[in-house]
Amino acid sequence: MTPYVALPAGQWPEAMEHGRIDDAAFAAAYARSTDTQRAWIKTGLAAVYAALGGPMPASRLRRDALGHNLLLTDQDVPLDYVVIVCGRDFLSPSRLAAAVVPALCARVAEVAAVRVGGVWPRPLLTTLELCGVETACRVAGRDLVGLLAALPAKGRGAVVVLGGLRLPTAIPAAVEVYEARIARRAGVFAERDAAFDTDALDFAHPDMAFFQHGGVCPDRPSWASGPGGLAEALPLGYDAVYAAPARVSEALAAAPLVLGPGRETFWLWPKLPPRIFRVRRLAAGAVATLPAAS
């Protein structure tokens, strides 16, 4: 039997270390991004941090004396690590940021990103750079089983899966797995008082199919005209709807995420709040009682 060896801080399983992206690649991706593209990423990042409430305390401890003589201690601390995993089909800087920031808000010390079977696109590396994530790796699909098996040596952690990638079925019990998947369909309901920046949308979600309802549909491969209005949008299976602020209530009935003008590069995963990247521990005892006075 192979002896168990803990991986120290900053070191990852062999497959990740072998495919680690060097600093020069990060720097080149950042330099080749335009000022506008970096501004789009930063705008989305700031909004995600605001939506999640910013960084949590590094540790929280609460002790309550409750009924039935119960003394309850409740502690939560960050996981040891989080790994964001995606396949070559995943291309969205906004949805990547929305997966990374919750782990950062949970104060997870080590966050890494792994791409399976393909090179890292420049906008994704730039997003990781702006998030402050310094570890990005490229691995082959055949390496996934060994990579996952080795992760418990990092402690207690989680893997977040983006896009259509499917993980092997054999996953160690010490590794929590969360999936953030969508159908990659969005409805854009343009109105006179709700103009959307289609260049920003294409940059934020290059793997998304956009359907324009009303107005002139952009002449681009990922865009098509959509039928009807918001009232008829529910059966269309949109992951997000872009609509005027005045129509938010109506739009919420059509999709789980509604975004207004100025939020083209914002995304939020409702099932990835920071608290899932924390470890909660409980202790129960008896409240000390004073002896009765004689």
Side-chain angles (χ1 to χ4, degrees), residues 29-284:
Y30 188 90
R32 290 170 186 164
S33 298
T34 67
D35 291 341
T36 297
Q37 290 170 342
R38 290 194 292 267
W40 282 336
I41 296 171
K42 291 176 183 178
T43 298
L45 269 176
V48 177
Y49 269 107
L52 297 178
M56 300 174 69
S59 177
R60 295 188 298 191
L61 181 69
R62 176 171 176 167
R63 185 171 288 115
D64 294 306
L66 304 172
H68 300 282
N69 209 36
L70 173 65
L71 180 64
L72 187 65
T73 301
D74 191 338
Q75 181 191 46
D76 71 269
V77 296
L79 291 173
D80 297 307
Y81 69 88
V82 170
V83 178
I84 313 296
V85 184
C86 64
R88 68 179 66 193
D89 67 312
F90 183 83
L91 302 172
S92 169
S94 291
R95 301 200 307 277
L96 175 61
V100 170
V101 172
L104 301 179
C105 285
R107 302 287 286 272
V108 176
E110 294 194 84
V111 179
V114 172
R115 192 166 181 87
V116 181
V119 299
W120 277 100
R122 170 180 47 77
L124 299 189
L125 283 182
T126 303
T127 298
L128 293 173
E129 175 87 7
L130 290 171
C131 286
V133 174
E134 299 178 349
T135 303
C137 311
R138 178 187 176 190
V139 304
R142 63 179 178 271
D143 295 325
L144 266 182
V145 172
L147 188 160
L148 293 169
L151 279 178
K154 292 289 294 177
R156 184 165 181 177
V159 169
V160 177
V161 186
L162 299 173
L165 180 71
R166 300 293 174 181
L167 294 187
T169 54
I171 297 175
V175 180
E176 293 285 348
V177 176
Y178 301 98
E179 296 183 346
R181 307 183 192 276
I182 59 172
R184 296 187 297 191
R185 292 170 54 88
V188 181
F189 293 82
E191 299 181 16
R192 187 170 300 176
D193 61 341
F196 290 94
D197 186 337
T198 55
D199 290 335
L201 285 175
D202 282 338
F203 175 79
H205 306 285
D207 51 3
M208 185 84 77
F210 291 102
F211 295 87
Q212 176 86 23
H213 296 256
V216 179
C217 180
D219 185 15
R220 301 175 187 177
S222 59
W223 288 74
S225 295
L230 271 173
E232 296 81 36
L234 179 59
L236 300 178
Y238 290 147
D239 303 295
V241 160
Y242 295 84
R247 305 192 68 185
V248 166
S249 296
E250 187 180 1
L252 283 170
L257 183 62
V258 177
L259 301 167
R263 293 303 170 202
E264 289 88 348
T265 60
F266 173 79
W267 194 266
L268 202 63
W269 295 109
K271 295 183 179 180
L272 295 180
R275 60 177 172 78
I276 68 173
F277 301 121
R278 307 274 289 196
V279 180
R280 187 182 182 195
R281 300 185 176 100
L282 299 171

